[in-house]
Amino acid sequence: MSDHERDEADATNGEPVPDGGETAAGQAGATAPGSAAERGAGDEGSDPGVDEPPTDESDQRAAERPVGTGAQSVVRALENADIEYLFGVQGGAIMPVYDALYDSEQLTHVTMAHEQGASHAADAFGIVSGDPGVCLATSGPGATNLVTGIADADMDSDPMIALTGQVSTEMVGNDAFQETDTTGVTDPITKHNSFATDPDTVGDDVGEALALADSGRPGPTLVDLPKDVTNGETDREPGAPQMPETYTVQKSADRTNVVSAARAIEEADQPAILAGGGIIKGDASQELYEFATEYELPVVTTMPALGAFPEDHELSMSMAGMHGTGFANMAITHTDLLIGIGTRFDDRLTGGIETFAPDAEVVHVDIDPAEISKNIHADYPLIGDAGTVIEQLHDQIDRAPDADEWRDQCVEWKEEYPMDYPVPEDRPLQPEFVVEALDEATGDDAIVTTGVGQHQMWACQYWEFTEPRTWVSSHGLGTMGYGMPAAVGARLAADDDQDVVCFEGDGSFLMTLQELSVAVREELDVTVAVLNNEYVGMVRQWQDAFFEGRHAASEYGWCPEFDKLAEAFGARGWAVDDYDEVADAVEEAVDYDGPSVIDFRIDPQANVYPMVPSGGDNGKFALSEGQL
């Protein structure tokens, strides 16, 4: 569903109810027989309970079924929103909701090994599907374990809803067992959160949270569910998701500003588009492609926007920023008109604000007014939905800018600063080679998830992204361990014929590798590539560059053998030490119908370049440590 469509669908109000209790990490009851893969993971129309979107008809159909408790109302609200997958961990305060899930023929619950994994899986599901992912946890530690994933979704504007158990309302404030002020803790990192107070309205609370999660600028929402509310009786049927009447989204930019921006584009000598993650959130990749190709505008992307514009196109300048390509950073540095669409101009992109696009006027398109001129001054502010505003600009431009020399210059920069790497015979396996090998062995629409660190940068630099919603990573928060649980969510959101590859580092993988057990149990076809250098590699790289090589707490020489660990989990495992073994291991792992892990023992001294030091000048990127 596009943002244009979402914003026209309204959502209702509703809230939940839980109570304290020990966390029970068992298999949730509300599942159909067989694994998630067998139940049609990622198939279109695989939802066995609802064949049509929430409509008056679905409301009428649902109204024929009596609602008994607040928990059942919560489940009905999820069904009314056509939710299919839930990710969570069972526990005392959320137990009434799980009991109600037991009877749902539509909702499939995936029990994760840890609540943080549940939040990352839900986040990734939302990124790939475009619809809100749902995670559940009990009160106290269950809810606080979701916080990292909620904060991650908030930083990256990913649609997600968290449903958390809470102690009974009469116990709130008494420091009851497993009580935490969940709404207070999560208020700064949610788009909206609420505390459910009534079994009659809790379903509508959930519906409202679902509607808000993917309207306008997407983000995480949360409903805290006290146990007396979910256990309480109700005969009220929740409706389809509706947004509050006070919430409005501006889709079209001010026409006067659009006309001014269109004239500036026509007159530019060195124009460049900076495509941000908002292009993908707003399903505006096609509009971007048509706009850029008609007017022959070079396209630079941010890291969250990988896949928004095909990187094999001649106009693509790939990713800019701290570890962006040299040619992308040169284009940003020398453009005279920067057309930023759906980007918040974060510090990893801009480097030093005063040196970012120093000679450029800036057109800034964003659906969130708070982002306009927050970091980079917008000469032409255009508030609205990415696809809608691109079409507005398209309609107002009468001629393409005269920029032949500029495009030739961009081609020269590509030739001058290519993304290549040495393969010396006297050094161990280079990580870039591994990334390219996996890219070649998988389809163009393969989905890549990653943790955070050097492996994340090598993946985004050396994988060629040509389609949106195929890059799933942690950007603003930089969460190590994101990749493995994200692969679970991505796999369930993906089409059956899409490959899912997870790149992890040894340090990052150790943080959440327990979620491999979920992939095994659910028979999910994911390939995990561990780029193992026995370091927290990015920390080691910075220590070498800026801390005189003092490797404080960055050496991971005590890592397990990940191939054997994978086999212990029930997955397939391989260990690869040199180039001759890469092709066979990659082919076998990708062809294996189930979870597989390849432990690539890479060069421990391999570094990520290009690199712009924090707060530095993007135009003065370093290609080696000696240039920092």
Side-chain angles (χ1 to χ4, degrees):
M1 185 187 301
S2 70
D3 268 4
H4 325 301
E5 294 167 331
R6 290 183 191 128
D7 294 340
E8 292 171 1
D10 287 326
T12 317
N13 185 26
E15 301 177 47
V17 172
D19 174 339
E22 293 185 16
T23 298
Q27 173 69 37
T31 59
S35 69
E38 291 169 337
R39 292 189 293 274
D43 287 347
E44 289 189 7
S46 61
D47 178 349
V50 176
D51 295 323
E52 64 269 15
T55 62
D56 292 339
E57 290 78 8
S58 63
D59 289 347
Q60 182 178 355
R61 186 181 66 245
E64 295 173 356
R65 299 171 292 170
V67 174
T69 67
Q72 289 171 316
S73 185
V74 169
V75 170
R76 194 68 55 79
L78 295 169
E79 292 174 336
N80 290 347
D82 284 350
I83 298 300
E84 184 177 3
Y85 287 103
L86 316 171
F87 305 88
V89 178
Q90 174 65 286
I94 197 68
M95 200 173 291
V97 176
Y98 274 90
D99 187 66
L101 280 171
Y102 192 87
D103 296 321
S104 177
E105 296 180 356
Q106 173 183 328
L107 302 172
T108 297
H109 180 270
V110 180
T111 300
M112 302 298 289
H114 190 280
E115 291 91 353
Q116 181 180 339
S119 61
H120 291 327
D123 182 34
F125 186 94
I127 293 171
V128 175
S129 70
D131 297 318
V134 182
C135 58
L136 299 89
T138 194
S139 60
T144 57
N145 282 343
L146 292 177
V147 167
T148 297
I150 295 171
D152 196 295
D154 182 59
M155 288 286 279
D156 290 348
S157 302
D158 297 332
M160 185 177 79
I161 176 174
L163 303 177
T164 55
Q166 185 54 272
V167 301
S168 297
T169 52
E170 71 271 14
M171 299 298 294
V172 170
N174 291 341
D175 294 330
F177 178 64
Q178 291 193 330
E179 179 193 354
T180 296
D181 179 8
T182 302
T183 55
V185 168
T186 61
D187 184 64
I189 55 171
T190 51
K191 182 177 178 180
H192 166 81
N193 72 17
S194 60
F195 183 92
T197 58
D198 191 335
D200 285 342
T201 58
V202 67
D204 289 336
D205 291 344
V206 172
E208 181 178 82
L210 284 163
L212 287 167
D214 69 346
S215 64
R217 179 179 183 171
T221 60
L222 179 145
V223 184
D224 202 26
L225 303 168
K227 199 169 185 179
D228 57 320
V229 176
T230 49
N231 273 330
E233 295 182 356
T234 181
D235 58 2
R236 183 172 172 183
E237 178 68 36
Q242 289 186 333
M243 291 182 292
E245 294 180 358
T246 55
Y247 184 84
T248 59
V249 176
Q250 181 176 328
K251 298 181 189 177
S252 302
D254 178 81
R255 185 180 182 280
T256 301
N257 290 353
V258 171
V259 171
S260 297
R263 297 293 84 78
I265 293 171
E266 291 172 348
E267 298 300 322
D269 295 319
Q270 299 173 172
I273 294 173
L274 176 64
I279 294 287
I280 295 175
K281 309 297 182 190
D283 292 323
S285 295
Q286 185 60 36
E287 289 90 341
L288 171 66
Y289 183 86
E290 293 172 359
F291 183 70
T293 54
E294 178 165 343
Y295 301 117
E296 297 186 276
L297 303 171
V299 179
V300 176
T301 64
T302 65
M303 189 167 72
L306 290 172
F309 188 83
E311 292 190 308
D312 57 356
H313 195 282
E314 61 183 359
L315 289 171
S316 172
M317 301 297 285
S318 298
M319 182 183 78
M322 178 174 284
H323 291 293
T325 65
F327 44 91
N329 281 329
M330 291 297 283
I332 289 289
T333 300
H334 293 281
T335 181
D336 64 357
L337 183 73
L338 185 64
I339 308 164
I341 307 174
T343 175
R344 60 188 178 87
F345 291 108
D346 76 293
D347 60 298
R348 285 297 174 105
L349 166 70
T350 64
I353 295 295
E354 66 284 351
T355 58
F356 180 77
D359 300 322
E361 286 192 309
V362 175
V363 177
H364 191 183
V365 179
D366 205 284
I367 200 165
D368 186 354
E371 292 299 335
I372 302 295
S373 294
K374 184 181 78 174
N375 294 325
I376 297 295
H377 173 72
D379 299 284
Y380 304 95
L382 301 177
I383 300 169
D385 170 76
T388 302
V389 177
I390 291 173
E391 290 177 342
Q392 285 183 278
L393 286 169
H394 213 154
D395 291 341
Q396 292 297 328
I397 294 176
D398 296 324
R399 63 175 180 82
D402 183 9
D404 289 345
E405 292 184 8
W406 167 244
R407 284 187 292 273
D408 290 343
Q409 176 63 75
C410 288
V411 171
E412 288 182 21
W413 282 325
K414 285 185 178 182
E415 295 171 349
E416 186 174 356
Y417 304 109
M419 289 301 294
D420 55 15
Y421 55 93
V423 188
E425 295 182 1
D426 60 342
R427 287 181 62 182
L429 182 63
Q430 296 301 299
E432 301 93 336
F433 183 87
V434 173
V435 174
E436 291 185 334
L438 278 155
D439 190 7
E440 292 173 5
T442 54
D444 290 342
D445 63 349
I447 294 170
V448 174
T449 75
T450 78
V452 168
Q454 286 180 313
H455 67 276
Q456 178 191 33
M457 296 298 106
W458 287 316
C460 64
Q461 288 177 333
Y462 290 93
W463 193 284
E464 188 173 71
F465 293 92
T466 59
E467 297 188 23
R469 302 193 183 279
T470 57
W471 166 249
V472 182
S473 194
S474 172
H475 305 109
L477 197 64
T479 306
M480 290 178 67
Y482 180 88
M484 183 66 243
V488 172
R491 175 71 275 168
L492 293 173
D495 292 335
D496 279 349
D497 59 355
Q498 282 183 282
D499 296 309
V500 175
V501 176
C502 169
F503 286 100
E504 277 285 11
D506 47 297
S508 186
F509 192 40
L510 280 171
M511 292 192 171
T512 58
L513 60 76
Q514 67 270 21
E515 304 304 342
L516 181 60
S517 67
V518 179
V520 171
R521 187 192 69 229
E522 300 293 337
E523 301 177 15
L524 302 181
D525 187 10
V526 297
T527 303
V528 181
V530 183
L531 302 185
N532 182 358
N533 55 14
E534 297 189 346
Y535 280 102
V536 184
M538 190 61 80
V539 172
R540 192 272 306 154
Q541 180 172 336
W542 279 56
Q543 287 172 331
D544 286 345
F546 306 114
F547 292 88
E548 300 178 348
R550 295 157 61 88
H551 295 165
S554 61
E555 296 179 343
Y556 273 36
W558 37 263
C559 280
E561 296 180 56
F562 292 112
D563 57 319
K564 294 180 180 178
L565 193 57
E567 298 282 354
F569 272 102
R572 288 289 307 276
W574 292 262
V576 174
D577 292 289
D578 58 51
Y579 295 99
D580 293 339
E581 301 170 340
V582 171
D584 287 345
V586 165
E587 182 180 3
E588 291 175 19
V590 172
D591 287 346
Y592 177 65
D593 188 15
S596 57
V597 176
I598 313 175
D599 186 359
F600 290 103
R601 281 75 180 271
I602 64 168
D603 184 354
Q605 299 305 314
N607 286 329
V608 179
Y609 290 105
M611 178 178 177
V612 178
S614 182
D617 183 341
N618 281 351
K620 297 179 180 179
F621 51 88
L623 298 176
S624 66
E625 184 177 324
Q627 296 178 358
L628 289 172

